[in-house]
Each structure stands twice: as structure tokens, then as C-alpha cells.
Amino acid sequence: MADPIVKAEGVHKSFARIEVLKGISLEVDKGEVYVLIGPSGSGKSTLLRCINHLEKINAGRIWVDGDLIGYRQVGEKLHEIRDSEIVTARAKIGMVFQHFNLFPHMTATENIALAQRIVLERDASDARRRATELLDRVGLADKANEYPSRLSGGQQQRVAIARALAMDPKVMLFDEVTSALDPELVQDVLDVMRELAREGMTMLVVTHEMGFAREVANEVIFMDQGAIVEQGKAEQVIDNPKEERTKRFLGQVLEH
């Protein structure tokens, strides 16, 4: 068996005195889709941000594609790596947020090309060619020269997905990417994510879209109060949960 693409071991994270992650461990193999569900404040988004080293962990370790994230181990000691090294390591981890964070003064193509040029040092023509390919892939070939203000929320989110894919990541992290969208725009974004799953992209997805979780997840993780309460196949965790806390949460979510 190959090593997992993402491995978290005993991850703790606190903000001031509040412990947000209480010893999270998980392993995600290449091509798997893990869907994280749970109430607000359960630690799901913080876990994604720790995997991407947007948040520093207080204890434990995280590896992505065999590399320790944020630190270098010398003997038994961990040493934090420099910001420039973190940027390089982060390039293999695509992350898409709830809010699109596109540069308003750049076209869709320019938004997708920018990080390729700066981080991957691709020349401008190669970066634009890759941006064009990816806009086609997310169904926005006709929007290449539009600015974000001329795009719907769903279209902006698909540009953000294309921007993350342009870095050729080993894993994609999706943090409630449809929660800020009008309901009729959600499906287009989920369709892009379904296609990525079919193509074998390794993905960790925080979402309240239970239909999507049932359809694409290899594993569903229910988190509450910074801990993994229940984990397993979608038909087990969503349709036949064992834990009372999971049952209560799903009872509320599936009613709406």
C-alpha cells in the first residue's frame, strides 16, 4: 500500500484558551474523497486550515504527500520552516474557501494565471494556456476575459476552483464552498467537484450538502467539539448513524 496523501496524527489546535481540535487523527489515500460534516464550531474548517498550514498546530503532526507540513523534524525535535518554504509546500495543496477571494481588478484568466507565474515560475504564455484549459474544464470558457464583478457567485467560485487546480495540487481542500451561494447556483459548483472526484482527485470537503456526501464520499467524518465522533461510509454515518450526537445533528440538517 502507498502512503496516504494526507495524514494527521494527534492534531491539537487552540485559540487562546479554547481548544478547537482535540487530538484529530486521520489518513486519506490517493483518490479518496473525505467529507467532513458537523455543527458550526466543531473544528472542521480549522482542520482544513491546519492541513494547509494557514493555522499553526499546537501539538501533533500533519503530512501531505509524505512531507511534514510547516515543520522539519531533526531527531525528536520539530523546527518551524521559513515562510518561503511554507509557500512552496502549500502549492501542492489546493484550497477553495467559502468566499472566492478573487482579485477584482483581474480577469478570470489573470486570476488563474497569477500564482502559476509567481509560485511555479511558469512563463506568462504557459500560465494563460493552463488558465484557458481550466476555465473550459469548469464550464466557463466564455468568461475568460470577464472581471469578477461581472460573474455570478457560482461562476466566481468555479474560477476559484480553477485557480487552485492550476497549481497541480496533490489534494484539494473545499471549505463550505457552496454555503454563500444562492441555491440555484450551488449545483454548478457541486457538478465541478463531482467531476474532480470521478477523475480521481484526492479531496477533503467541509459541507452541509448531504446528497453530495452520499454520492461522492469514500468516508464521511462527523465532528463535534473538536473531536471525530463518528467515521465511516456515507450509508453508515448519514443513513444509519450509531452515535446519538450524530443522529441529533442529522435530524436537524435533513429536515431542512
Side-chain angles (χ1 to χ4, degrees), residues 91-157:
K92 68 167 90 174
I93 309 167
M95 186 153 184
V96 187
F97 300 87
Q98 180 176 343
H99 301 291
F100 327 119
N101 302 329
L102 299 177
F103 291 109
H105 61 289
M106 293 184 174
T107 65
T109 299
E110 289 165 347
N111 264 285
I112 297 166
L114 181 64
Q116 297 180 64
R117 296 199 340 258
I118 293 171
V119 180
L120 301 183
E121 299 181 351
R122 284 184 181 150
D123 70 47
S125 61
D126 285 345
R128 289 182 71 85
R129 191 178 311 117
R130 183 78 174 123
T132 301
E133 286 169 10
L134 287 165
L135 282 169
D136 186 43
R137 185 172 172 185
V138 300
L140 293 174
D142 58 333
K143 304 294 183 185
N145 297 315
E146 295 286 6
Y147 290 91
S149 61
R150 300 279 303 264
L151 301 174
S152 72
Q155 289 169 337
Q156 289 185 62
Q157 194 58 289

Coordinates of all heavy atoms in Angstrom, one line a residue, residues 91-157:
A91 N 1.9 24.8 -2.2 CA 1.5 24.8 -3.7 C 0.9 23.4 -4.0 O 0.1 23.4 -5.0 CB 2.7 25.1 -4.5
K92 N 1.2 22.4 -3.3 CA 0.7 21.1 -3.6 C -0.7 20.8 -3.0 O -1.3 19.8 -3.1 CB 1.7 20.0 -3.3 CG 1.9 19.8 -1.8 CD 2.6 18.5 -1.5 CE 4.1 18.7 -1.5 NZ 4.9 17.5 -1.2
I93 N -1.2 21.8 -2.2 CA -2.4 21.7 -1.5 C -3.4 22.8 -2.0 O -3.2 24.0 -1.7 CB -2.3 21.9 0.0 CG1 -1.2 21.0 0.6 CG2 -3.6 21.6 0.7 CD1 -0.7 21.3 2.0
G94 N -4.3 22.4 -2.9 CA -5.3 23.4 -3.4 C -6.4 23.7 -2.3 O -6.9 22.7 -1.7
M95 N -6.7 24.9 -2.1 CA -7.8 25.2 -1.1 C -8.8 26.2 -1.7 O -8.4 27.2 -2.3 CB -7.2 25.8 0.2 CG -8.3 25.9 1.2 SD -7.6 25.8 2.9 CE -9.1 25.9 3.9
V96 N -10.0 25.9 -1.6 CA -11.1 26.8 -2.0 C -12.0 27.1 -0.8 O -12.4 26.2 -0.1 CB -12.0 26.1 -3.1 CG1 -12.9 27.1 -3.7 CG2 -11.1 25.5 -4.2
F97 N -12.2 28.4 -0.7 CA -12.9 28.9 0.5 C -14.3 29.2 0.3 O -14.8 29.3 -0.9 CB -12.2 30.2 1.0 CG -10.7 30.0 1.3 CD1 -9.7 30.1 0.4 CD2 -10.3 29.7 2.6 CE1 -8.4 30.0 0.7 CE2 -9.0 29.5 2.9 CZ -8.0 29.7 2.0
Q98 N -15.1 29.5 1.3 CA -16.5 29.9 1.2 C -16.6 31.2 0.4 O -17.5 31.4 -0.4 CB -17.0 30.2 2.6 CG -18.4 30.6 2.7 CD -18.9 30.7 4.1 OE1 -18.3 30.2 5.1 NE2 -20.0 31.4 4.3
H99 N -15.6 32.2 0.6 CA -15.6 33.4 -0.1 C -14.5 33.3 -1.2 O -13.4 32.8 -0.9 CB -15.4 34.6 0.8 CG -16.6 34.7 1.8 ND1 -17.8 35.0 1.5 CD2 -16.6 34.4 3.1 CE1 -18.6 34.9 2.5 NE2 -17.9 34.6 3.6
F100 N -14.7 33.8 -2.3 CA -14.0 33.5 -3.5 C -12.6 34.1 -3.5 O -11.7 33.5 -4.1 CB -14.7 33.9 -4.8 CG -16.2 33.8 -4.6 CD1 -17.0 34.9 -4.7 CD2 -16.8 32.6 -4.3 CE1 -18.4 34.8 -4.6 CE2 -18.2 32.5 -4.1 CZ -19.0 33.6 -4.2
N101 N -12.4 35.2 -2.9 CA -11.1 35.9 -2.8 C -10.4 36.1 -4.1 O -9.2 35.9 -4.3 CB -10.1 35.0 -1.9 CG -10.7 34.8 -0.5 OD1 -11.4 35.7 0.0 ND2 -10.4 33.7 0.1
L102 N -11.2 36.4 -5.2 CA -10.6 36.7 -6.5 C -10.2 38.2 -6.5 O -10.7 39.0 -5.8 CB -11.6 36.5 -7.6 CG -12.2 35.1 -7.8 CD1 -13.2 35.1 -8.9 CD2 -11.1 34.1 -8.1
F103 N -9.1 38.5 -7.2 CA -8.7 39.9 -7.4 C -9.6 40.6 -8.3 O -9.8 40.3 -9.4 CB -7.3 39.9 -7.9 CG -6.2 39.4 -7.0 CD1 -5.6 38.2 -7.2 CD2 -5.9 40.1 -5.8 CE1 -4.6 37.7 -6.3 CE2 -4.9 39.7 -4.9 CZ -4.3 38.5 -5.2
P104 N -10.3 41.7 -7.8 CA -11.4 42.3 -8.6 C -10.8 43.0 -9.8 O -11.6 43.2 -10.8 CB -12.0 43.3 -7.6 CG -10.9 43.6 -6.5 CD -10.2 42.3 -6.4
H105 N -9.6 43.4 -9.8 CA -9.0 44.2 -10.9 C -8.4 43.2 -12.0 O -7.8 43.7 -13.0 CB -7.9 45.1 -10.4 CG -6.8 44.5 -9.8 ND1 -6.9 43.8 -8.5 CD2 -5.5 44.3 -10.2 CE1 -5.7 43.3 -8.2 NE2 -4.8 43.5 -9.2
M106 N -8.6 41.9 -11.8 CA -8.0 41.0 -12.8 C -9.2 40.2 -13.4 O -10.1 39.8 -12.8 CB -7.0 40.0 -12.1 CG -5.8 40.6 -11.6 SD -4.7 39.4 -11.0 CE -3.2 40.4 -10.6
T107 N -9.0 39.8 -14.7 CA -9.9 38.9 -15.4 C -9.9 37.5 -14.8 O -8.9 37.2 -14.0 CB -9.7 38.9 -16.9 OG1 -8.4 38.2 -17.1 CG2 -9.7 40.3 -17.5
A108 N -10.8 36.7 -15.2 CA -10.8 35.3 -14.7 C -9.5 34.6 -15.1 O -8.8 34.0 -14.3 CB -12.0 34.6 -15.4
T109 N -9.1 34.9 -16.4 CA -7.8 34.3 -16.8 C -6.6 34.8 -16.0 O -5.8 34.0 -15.6 CB -7.6 34.6 -18.3 OG1 -8.6 34.0 -19.1 CG2 -6.2 34.0 -18.8
E110 N -6.6 36.1 -15.7 CA -5.4 36.6 -15.0 C -5.4 36.1 -13.5 O -4.4 35.9 -13.0 CB -5.5 38.2 -15.0 CG -5.2 38.7 -16.4 CD -5.7 40.2 -16.6 OE1 -6.4 40.7 -15.7 OE2 -5.2 40.8 -17.6
N111 N -6.6 36.0 -13.0 CA -6.7 35.4 -11.6 C -6.1 34.0 -11.5 O -5.4 33.7 -10.6 CB -8.1 35.4 -11.1 CG -8.5 36.6 -10.3 OD1 -8.2 36.7 -9.1 ND2 -9.3 37.5 -10.9
I112 N -6.3 33.2 -12.5 CA -5.9 31.8 -12.5 C -4.4 31.8 -12.9 O -3.6 30.9 -12.4 CB -6.7 31.0 -13.5 CG1 -8.1 30.9 -13.1 CG2 -6.1 29.6 -13.6 CD1 -9.1 30.4 -14.1
A113 N -3.9 32.7 -13.7 CA -2.5 32.7 -14.1 C -1.5 33.2 -13.1 O -0.4 32.8 -13.1 CB -2.4 33.5 -15.4
L114 N -2.0 34.1 -12.2 CA -1.1 34.8 -11.3 C -0.2 33.9 -10.5 O 1.0 34.0 -10.5 CB -1.9 35.8 -10.4 CG -1.0 36.6 -9.5 CD1 -0.1 37.6 -10.3 CD2 -1.9 37.4 -8.5
A115 N -0.8 33.0 -9.7 CA 0.0 32.2 -8.8 C 0.9 31.2 -9.5 O 2.0 30.9 -9.1 CB -0.9 31.4 -7.8
Q116 N 0.4 30.8 -10.7 CA 1.3 29.9 -11.5 C 2.6 30.6 -11.9 O 3.7 30.0 -11.8 CB 0.6 29.6 -12.8 CG -0.7 28.8 -12.7 CD -1.2 28.5 -14.1 OE1 -0.6 27.9 -14.9 NE2 -2.4 29.1 -14.4
R117 N 2.5 31.9 -12.2 CA 3.7 32.7 -12.6 C 4.6 32.9 -11.3 O 5.8 32.8 -11.4 CB 3.3 34.0 -13.2 CG 2.6 33.8 -14.5 CD 2.6 35.0 -15.4 NE 2.8 36.3 -14.8 CZ 1.9 37.2 -14.4 NH1 0.6 36.9 -14.6 NH2 2.3 38.3 -13.8
I118 N 4.0 33.3 -10.2 CA 4.8 33.7 -9.0 C 5.3 32.5 -8.3 O 6.5 32.4 -8.0 CB 3.9 34.5 -8.1 CG1 3.5 35.8 -8.7 CG2 4.6 34.7 -6.8 CD1 2.5 36.7 -8.0
V119 N 4.5 31.5 -8.0 CA 4.9 30.3 -7.2 C 5.6 29.2 -8.0 O 6.6 28.7 -7.7 CB 3.7 29.7 -6.4 CG1 4.2 28.6 -5.6 CG2 3.1 30.8 -5.5
L120 N 4.9 28.9 -9.2 CA 5.5 27.8 -10.0 C 6.5 28.3 -11.0 O 7.1 27.5 -11.7 CB 4.4 27.1 -10.7 CG 3.3 26.4 -9.8 CD1 2.3 25.7 -10.7 CD2 3.9 25.5 -8.8
E121 N 6.6 29.6 -11.2 CA 7.5 30.3 -12.1 C 7.3 29.8 -13.6 O 8.2 29.7 -14.3 CB 9.0 30.1 -11.7 CG 9.3 30.7 -10.3 CD 10.7 30.5 -9.9 OE1 11.4 29.7 -10.6 OE2 11.1 31.1 -8.9
R122 N 6.0 29.7 -13.9 CA 5.7 29.4 -15.3 C 5.7 30.7 -16.1 O 5.4 31.7 -15.5 CB 4.2 28.8 -15.4 CG 4.1 27.4 -15.0 CD 2.7 26.8 -15.2 NE 2.7 25.4 -14.7 CZ 1.6 24.8 -14.2 NH1 0.5 25.5 -14.1 NH2 1.7 23.6 -13.8
D123 N 6.1 30.6 -17.3 CA 6.1 31.8 -18.1 C 4.6 32.2 -18.4 O 3.7 31.4 -18.3 CB 7.0 31.8 -19.4 CG 6.4 30.8 -20.4 OD1 5.2 30.9 -20.8 OD2 7.2 30.0 -21.0
A124 N 4.5 33.5 -18.8 CA 3.1 34.1 -18.9 C 2.2 33.3 -19.9 O 1.1 33.0 -19.7 CB 3.2 35.5 -19.3
S125 N 2.8 32.9 -21.0 CA 2.0 32.2 -22.1 C 1.6 30.8 -21.6 O 0.4 30.4 -21.8 CB 2.8 32.1 -23.4 OG 4.0 31.4 -23.2
D126 N 2.4 30.1 -20.9 CA 2.1 28.8 -20.4 C 1.0 28.9 -19.3 O 0.0 28.1 -19.3 CB 3.3 28.1 -19.8 CG 4.2 27.5 -20.8 OD1 3.8 27.5 -22.0 OD2 5.4 27.2 -20.5
A127 N 1.1 30.0 -18.5 CA 0.1 30.2 -17.4 C -1.2 30.5 -18.0 O -2.3 30.0 -17.5 CB 0.6 31.3 -16.5
R128 N -1.2 31.3 -19.0 CA -2.5 31.7 -19.7 C -3.1 30.5 -20.4 O -4.3 30.3 -20.3 CB -2.3 32.8 -20.7 CG -2.0 34.2 -20.0 CD -1.9 35.3 -21.0 NE -3.2 35.6 -21.6 CZ -4.1 36.4 -21.1 NH1 -3.8 37.1 -19.9 NH2 -5.2 36.7 -21.7
R129 N -2.3 29.7 -21.0 CA -2.8 28.5 -21.7 C -3.4 27.5 -20.7 O -4.5 27.0 -20.9 CB -1.6 27.8 -22.4 CG -2.1 26.7 -23.4 CD -0.9 26.0 -24.1 NE 0.0 27.0 -24.7 CZ 1.3 27.2 -24.4 NH1 1.8 26.4 -23.4 NH2 2.0 28.1 -25.0
R130 N -2.8 27.3 -19.5 CA -3.3 26.5 -18.5 C -4.6 27.0 -17.9 O -5.6 26.3 -17.7 CB -2.3 26.3 -17.4 CG -2.7 25.4 -16.2 CD -2.5 23.9 -16.6 NE -2.8 23.1 -15.5 CZ -3.7 22.1 -15.5 NH1 -4.5 21.9 -16.6 NH2 -3.9 21.3 -14.4
A131 N -4.7 28.4 -17.8 CA -5.9 29.0 -17.3 C -7.0 28.8 -18.3 O -8.2 28.5 -17.9 CB -5.6 30.5 -17.1
T132 N -6.8 28.9 -19.6 CA -7.8 28.7 -20.6 C -8.3 27.3 -20.5 O -9.5 27.0 -20.6 CB -7.2 29.0 -22.0 OG1 -6.7 30.3 -22.0 CG2 -8.2 28.8 -23.1
E133 N -7.4 26.3 -20.4 CA -7.8 24.9 -20.3 C -8.7 24.7 -19.1 O -9.8 24.0 -19.2 CB -6.6 24.0 -20.1 CG -5.7 23.7 -21.3 CD -4.4 23.1 -20.9 OE1 -4.3 22.6 -19.7 OE2 -3.5 23.0 -21.7
L134 N -8.4 25.3 -18.0 CA -9.1 25.0 -16.7 C -10.5 25.8 -16.7 O -11.4 25.3 -16.2 CB -8.3 25.4 -15.5 CG -7.1 24.5 -15.2 CD1 -6.1 25.1 -14.3 CD2 -7.7 23.2 -14.6
L135 N -10.5 26.9 -17.3 CA -11.8 27.6 -17.5 C -12.8 26.8 -18.3 O -14.0 26.7 -18.0 CB -11.6 29.0 -18.1 CG -11.1 30.1 -17.1 CD1 -10.7 31.3 -17.9 CD2 -12.2 30.4 -16.1
D136 N -12.3 26.1 -19.3 CA -13.1 25.2 -20.1 C -13.5 24.0 -19.3 O -14.7 23.6 -19.3 CB -12.3 24.7 -21.3 CG -13.1 23.9 -22.3 OD1 -14.3 24.3 -22.6 OD2 -12.6 22.9 -22.7
R137 N -12.7 23.5 -18.5 CA -13.0 22.4 -17.6 C -14.1 22.7 -16.6 O -14.9 21.8 -16.3 CB -11.7 21.9 -16.9 CG -11.8 20.7 -16.1 CD -10.4 20.3 -15.6 NE -10.4 19.2 -14.7 CZ -9.3 18.8 -14.0 NH1 -8.2 19.3 -14.3 NH2 -9.4 17.8 -13.2
V138 N -14.1 23.9 -16.1 CA -15.2 24.2 -15.1 C -16.4 24.9 -15.8 O -17.2 25.5 -15.1 CB -14.6 25.1 -14.0 CG1 -13.5 24.4 -13.2 CG2 -14.1 26.5 -14.5
G139 N -16.4 24.9 -17.1 CA -17.6 25.3 -17.8 C -17.7 26.8 -18.0 O -18.8 27.4 -18.2
L140 N -16.5 27.5 -18.0 CA -16.5 29.0 -18.1 C -15.6 29.5 -19.2 O -15.0 30.6 -19.1 CB -16.1 29.6 -16.8 CG -17.0 29.4 -15.6 CD1 -16.4 29.9 -14.3 CD2 -18.3 30.1 -15.8
A141 N -15.5 28.7 -20.3 CA -14.6 29.1 -21.4 C -15.0 30.5 -22.0 O -14.1 31.3 -22.4 CB -14.6 28.1 -22.5
D142 N -16.3 30.8 -21.9 CA -16.8 32.1 -22.5 C -16.6 33.2 -21.5 O -16.9 34.4 -21.9 CB -18.2 31.9 -22.9 CG -19.1 31.5 -21.7 OD1 -18.6 30.9 -20.8 OD2 -20.3 31.9 -21.7
K143 N -16.1 33.0 -20.3 CA -15.9 34.1 -19.3 C -14.5 34.4 -19.1 O -14.1 35.1 -18.1 CB -16.5 33.7 -18.0 CG -18.0 33.2 -18.1 CD -18.9 34.4 -18.5 CE -20.4 34.0 -18.4 NZ -21.2 35.1 -18.9
A144 N -13.6 34.0 -20.0 CA -12.1 34.2 -19.7 C -11.7 35.6 -19.5 O -10.8 35.9 -18.6 CB -11.4 33.6 -20.9
N145 N -12.4 36.6 -20.2 CA -11.9 38.0 -20.1 C -12.8 38.8 -19.2 O -12.7 40.0 -19.2 CB -11.8 38.6 -21.5 CG -10.7 37.9 -22.3 OD1 -9.6 37.6 -21.8 ND2 -11.1 37.5 -23.5
E146 N -13.7 38.1 -18.5 CA -14.6 38.9 -17.6 C -14.0 39.1 -16.2 O -13.2 38.3 -15.7 CB -15.9 38.1 -17.3 CG -16.8 37.8 -18.6 CD -17.5 39.1 -19.0 OE1 -17.3 40.2 -18.4 OE2 -18.3 39.0 -20.0
Y147 N -14.3 40.3 -15.6 CA -13.9 40.6 -14.3 C -14.9 40.0 -13.3 O -16.0 39.7 -13.6 CB -13.8 42.1 -14.1 CG -12.6 42.7 -14.9 CD1 -12.8 43.2 -16.2 CD2 -11.4 42.8 -14.3 CE1 -11.8 43.7 -16.9 CE2 -10.3 43.3 -15.1 CZ -10.5 43.8 -16.4 OH -9.5 44.3 -17.1
P148 N -14.4 39.7 -12.0 CA -15.3 39.1 -11.0 C -16.6 39.7 -10.8 O -17.6 39.1 -10.6 CB -14.4 39.1 -9.8 CG -13.0 39.0 -10.3 CD -13.0 39.8 -11.5
S149 N -16.6 41.1 -10.9 CA -17.9 41.8 -10.7 C -19.0 41.5 -11.8 O -20.2 41.7 -11.6 CB -17.7 43.3 -10.7 OG -17.1 43.7 -12.0
R150 N -18.5 40.9 -12.9 CA -19.4 40.6 -14.0 C -19.8 39.1 -13.9 O -20.5 38.6 -14.8 CB -18.8 40.8 -15.4 CG -18.4 42.3 -15.6 CD -19.6 43.1 -16.1 NE -20.2 42.5 -17.3 CZ -19.9 42.9 -18.5 NH1 -19.1 43.9 -18.7 NH2 -20.5 42.3 -19.5
L151 N -19.4 38.4 -12.9 CA -19.7 36.9 -12.8 C -20.6 36.7 -11.6 O -20.5 37.4 -10.6 CB -18.4 36.2 -12.5 CG -17.3 36.3 -13.6 CD1 -16.0 35.5 -13.1 CD2 -17.8 35.7 -14.9
S152 N -21.4 35.7 -11.7 CA -22.3 35.3 -10.5 C -21.4 34.7 -9.5 O -20.3 34.3 -9.7 CB -23.3 34.3 -11.0 OG -22.7 33.0 -11.3
G153 N -22.0 34.5 -8.3 CA -21.2 33.9 -7.2 C -20.8 32.5 -7.6 O -19.6 32.1 -7.3
G154 N -21.7 31.7 -8.2 CA -21.3 30.4 -8.6 C -20.2 30.4 -9.7 O -19.3 29.5 -9.6
Q155 N -20.2 31.3 -10.6 CA -19.1 31.4 -11.6 C -17.8 31.8 -10.9 O -16.7 31.3 -11.2 CB -19.5 32.4 -12.7 CG -20.6 31.9 -13.5 CD -21.2 33.0 -14.4 OE1 -21.1 34.2 -14.1 NE2 -21.9 32.6 -15.5
Q156 N -17.9 32.8 -10.0 CA -16.7 33.2 -9.3 C -16.1 32.0 -8.5 O -14.8 31.8 -8.5 CB -17.0 34.3 -8.3 CG -17.2 35.6 -9.0 CD -17.4 36.7 -7.9 OE1 -16.5 37.1 -7.2 NE2 -18.6 37.3 -7.9
Q157 N -16.9 31.2 -7.9 CA -16.4 30.0 -7.1 C -15.8 29.0 -8.1 O -14.8 28.4 -7.7 CB -17.6 29.4 -6.4 CG -17.1 28.4 -5.3 CD -16.2 29.0 -4.2 OE1 -15.0 29.3 -4.5 NE2 -16.7 29.2 -3.0

